[in-house]
Amino acid sequence: MNGVQNSQTIAHLLGGRISPEELEAAQMEAGSLLDELEKRGHDTFALFSHIAQKCGMEAVELTPKYPAPSAAHLITPETALRYQIVPLESNDRMLTIAFGDPLDIETLDTLQHLFNQPLNIVAALPEQIAETLARLYPETDSEPGSILSAAPTKKENAALSETADSDEPIIKLVNMLIVEGFKQRASDIHIEPLSKTFRIRYRIDGALREIEGPPRRLHPTVISRIKIMAGMKISEKRLPQDGRIEIRVQGRDLDLRVSSIPTNHGESIVMRILDKQNLALGLPNLGFYEDDQAAFERLIRYPDGILLITGPTGSGKTTTLYACLNHLNKPDRKIITVEDPVEYQLSGVNQVHVRSEIGLTFSAALRSILRQAPNIIMIGEIRDRETAEIAVNAALTGHLVLSTLHTNDAPSAITRLADIGVKPFLASSSVRGIMAQRLVRQICTECKCPHIPTETELRILGSAPALYKGEGCPACGNTGYLGRKGIFELMHVNDEIRQMIYSGLSASELRAQARALGMRTLREDGLRKAADGITTLSEVLRVTMRDEN
């Protein structure tokens, strides 16, 4: 269920119906609380009805025959899809509608003021609402501008009141761009003005794909619409800006992180799509083999020390950190994160958003949160000496610290810490493990077929395993790839490695010793996955450097 998000509030409301032990066990899982309880044999509608009753609402079941199709005309399709509400019936005195989240007080209040007649709002399961909307308004279901249903912020409500009716085509165009990006699994939407054209590109599985752009003359109005949605200053076109859009697309809650920069031909905007359902990722979903996952879980079970995740931008470091936090998030542990920005909100985790403009830097936040007595600290990135020293001191005083560095491989993280200013004896005492990672595109299962290796590929592999590739089909956009998985290089800092770090040896010497102790390099892990038909050899070669012998 997407409609009910606050698991702690739900657990409180269900007190007495579900045993405390079962509630606690369900809260440990990554999915929504009601979904987890359903997996344990509970009647979801009965639990939902209990929650609705506690909130002063009646719960109803929507079926293929209820409400009748004639109810569709009671409200406009745009209003129904925007607020995810279903009209049920109306009389001279009252309009009855169904809504999926009894805990969303702000939207409930908005709905009460939206209509010109009294409302009777009842609760219905969010998935039933989505199915009923598709049935009542089939003609709008295929229009991207109607599929998008944004829960407007107060800033957007104020801005939208100034939007003229003539802007409706621009609103639909922007909605279409967002919906199409979501449907195509894009991680970013790039909106770029060129000298004579207006270019739109989606980043899908790490690769940019260009789509047909609108006329160049529409660029200023499209940019203005996005800025309104993101709460950015429309009049400021000379300086970079950042904003955020919270929306719901096809029943899924999304965050869009919006960044604008001035260019020679106008403002360029990138919208990063953050799907909150990705929070349900567990460690097995990242792409680990069983042996690597077991080794990694041993590292994050340490009570103290530093675990570093390394790799370039876009290699999935943040996703791995959040998967770790989901795995470690238990009621007996206090977890605090320091992030720039907070990308996903985690239930039960204290998250601090860095704001350098008011002095809340990584180092300033870290100094304060250590007084909060956390068990686990997650630092979005170690960027400078001060942050690194505080992280090391936290690790040496009984805290488990998770963080990231921008390095090409695992051993180079030690060199990077030295460059920042961390003394070798402190690094050797605090660092427990380092994992480098990359993302490789998975072969599309719909068009997967055998691939005969070339002579060059045989030389690289050293043998002739069965290889595969994707021929290209509509499911994967004729690319042969669908989705991504990680490849990993995990270096455990044991006594031998610790002594080498203390002695100040180079990254190449650390790498050679780690390999002698059994560390698989990024390329070796990638070749394993190519041989198992998960990805292609060309993908592995694209994202990894040649191993040193």
Side-chain angles (χ1 to χ4, degrees):
M1 287 178 57
N2 295 317
V4 180
Q5 299 293 333
N6 193 327
S7 63
Q8 292 179 334
T9 303
I10 295 172
H12 175 73
L13 293 174
L14 291 176
R17 286 186 64 96
I18 308 293
S19 69
E21 295 78 16
E22 194 164 11
L23 276 174
E24 182 178 332
Q27 282 184 290
M28 298 297 181
E29 302 299 329
S32 76
L33 181 58
L34 289 185
D35 286 347
E36 294 302 327
L37 290 171
E38 183 181 25
K39 293 175 186 176
R40 297 166 187 270
H42 291 278
D43 184 336
T44 303
F45 182 74
L47 298 179
F48 184 79
S49 299
H50 182 77
I51 293 169
Q53 184 180 7
K54 291 283 188 179
C55 296
M57 295 174 65
E58 176 192 357
V60 300
E61 282 203 85
L62 304 180
T63 69
K65 294 184 178 180
Y66 178 73
S70 58
H73 77 278
L74 296 176
I75 60 177
T76 66
E78 290 76 18
T79 299
L81 293 164
R82 182 179 187 85
Y83 294 99
Q84 292 291 286
I85 55 177
V86 172
L88 300 180
E89 57 186 0
S90 177
N91 53 40
D92 294 336
R93 294 179 293 104
M94 189 170 292
L95 169 66
T96 300
I97 61 173
F99 180 59
D101 192 346
L103 302 177
D104 188 352
I105 304 300
E106 185 174 348
T107 302
L108 288 169
D109 185 60
T110 299
L111 292 172
Q112 291 287 358
H113 293 86
L114 189 64
F115 296 91
N116 294 324
Q117 65 184 112
L119 278 188
N120 174 34
I121 304 178
V122 298
L125 288 167
E127 51 266 38
Q128 291 185 4
I129 284 185
E131 293 168 1
T132 306
L133 288 174
R135 174 169 56 85
L136 291 182
Y137 306 106
E139 68 281 0
T140 61
D141 189 52
S142 59
E143 296 182 13
S146 299
I147 296 173
L148 180 94
S149 61
T153 62
K154 293 178 181 177
K155 287 185 289 187
E156 188 186 354
N157 274 329
L160 287 176
S161 65
E162 303 171 2
T163 304
D165 292 339
S166 60
D167 289 339
E168 185 68 22
I170 297 299
I171 294 173
K172 289 186 176 181
L173 172 60
V174 173
N175 290 352
M176 179 191 71
L177 293 176
I178 295 172
V179 171
E180 281 301 309
F182 170 75
K183 288 167 67 177
Q184 294 191 36
R185 303 175 298 102
S187 59
D188 305 287
I189 303 173
H190 295 252
I191 300 174
E192 305 159 313
L194 303 179
S195 58
K196 296 181 180 179
T197 59
F198 185 8
R199 184 165 70 176
I200 309 291
R201 294 189 291 176
Y202 294 141
R203 189 180 297 279
I204 302 169
D205 294 335
L208 284 169
R209 298 185 199 171
E210 186 170 353
I211 65 170
E212 184 177 353
R216 178 67 173 80
R217 60 183 171 80
L218 293 181
H219 169 258
T221 48
V222 169
I223 296 297
S224 295
R225 169 60 186 168
I226 294 172
K227 283 183 165 183
I228 287 173
M229 295 175 70
M232 298 157 70
K233 295 180 181 177
I234 301 177
S235 58
E236 181 56 77
K237 301 178 182 179
R238 301 168 300 168
L239 296 174
Q241 292 189 71
D242 293 311
R244 178 180 178 181
I245 302 171
E246 293 184 1
I247 61 174
R248 171 169 285 195
V249 177
Q250 295 181 328
R252 298 271 284 274
D253 291 319
L254 305 181
D255 275 353
L256 270 64
R257 296 296 161 84
V258 184
S259 170
S260 73
I261 59 169
T263 69
N264 287 343
H265 303 294
E267 288 182 280
S268 173
I269 276 187
V270 174
M271 293 186 283
R272 185 179 182 193
I273 301 174
L274 303 175
D275 186 351
K276 294 181 179 180
Q277 283 201 358
N278 287 340
L279 282 179
L281 278 181
L283 293 177
N285 303 109
L286 299 178
F288 284 115
Y289 280 116
E290 288 186 7
D291 53 351
D292 284 339
Q293 182 177 331
F296 187 70
E297 287 183 3
R298 284 197 296 273
L299 285 175
I300 63 177
R301 281 200 296 266
Y302 277 115
D304 55 28
I306 297 176
L307 172 62
L308 294 171
I309 312 295
T310 77
T313 300
S315 59
K317 300 187 299 295
T318 301
T319 300
T320 298
L321 284 180
Y322 276 104
C324 290
L325 294 180
N326 270 327
H327 185 80
L328 295 168
N329 191 8
K330 302 288 189 293
D332 61 342
R333 296 170 182 162
K334 179 162 186 173
I335 303 175
I336 302 182
T337 74
V338 184
E339 305 171 67
D340 184 17
V342 173
E343 296 199 358
Y344 297 103
Q345 297 194 5
L346 296 170
S347 176
V349 176
N350 300 277
Q351 296 172 271
V352 178
H353 182 176
V354 168
R355 297 180 62 190
S356 301
E357 69 275 11
I358 62 171
L360 185 59
T361 61
F362 274 103
S363 53
L366 282 170
R367 280 193 296 269
S368 298
I369 67 174
L370 287 175
R371 293 192 286 271
Q372 295 277 314
N375 303 103
I376 299 166
I377 301 169
M378 190 271 269
I379 307 170
E381 181 185 349
I382 294 178
R383 300 180 178 178
D384 53 44
R385 177 177 179 176
E386 191 175 9
T387 302
E389 288 179 343
I390 297 172
V392 167
N393 288 333
L396 294 175
T397 54
H399 305 85
L400 177 63
V401 179
L402 310 176
S403 191
T404 69
L405 277 177
H406 286 281
T407 64
N408 287 328
D409 62 0
S412 297
I414 299 299
T415 307
R416 175 65 180 144
L417 289 176
D419 291 341
I420 290 174
V422 177
K423 298 287 192 297
F425 74 91
L426 290 174
S428 66
S429 302
S430 59
V431 177
R432 295 283 184 258
I434 306 164
M435 186 174 76
Q437 69 177 65
R438 299 288 189 279
L439 293 175
V440 293
R441 292 180 291 177
Q442 295 182 96
I443 298 172
C444 174
T445 56
E446 296 293 323
C447 59
K448 184 176 180 179
C449 64
H451 168 62
I452 300 174
T454 64
E455 290 185 12
T456 303
E457 291 172 339
L458 286 174
R459 256 196 326 272
I460 293 170
L461 291 169
S463 60
L467 294 180
Y468 296 88
K469 66 176 182 179
E471 286 189 316
C473 66
C476 60
N478 294 314
T479 63
Y481 298 101
L482 189 63
R484 291 190 289 178
K485 287 289 186 185
I487 58 173
F488 307 98
E489 176 178 291
L490 185 58
M491 186 175 89
H492 189 282
V493 180
N494 60 11
D495 290 338
E496 292 178 65
I497 299 292
R498 188 172 293 111
Q499 184 58 46
M500 294 176 72
I501 296 172
Y502 182 84
S503 302
L505 297 184
S506 67
S508 60
E509 291 172 301
L510 290 173
R511 184 180 181 84
Q513 182 61 28
R515 293 188 69 180
L517 293 171
M519 181 188 81
R520 264 188 299 272
T521 64
L522 284 165
R523 176 162 288 191
E524 287 168 342
D525 191 44
L527 293 178
R528 275 207 302 173
K529 286 166 182 170
D532 286 347
I534 297 171
T535 188
T536 62
L537 184 58
S538 60
E539 266 295 285
V540 176
L541 300 181
R542 181 179 67 86
V543 302
T544 62
M545 61 183 182
R546 199 177 85 174
D547 293 333
E548 298 176 11
N549 293 321

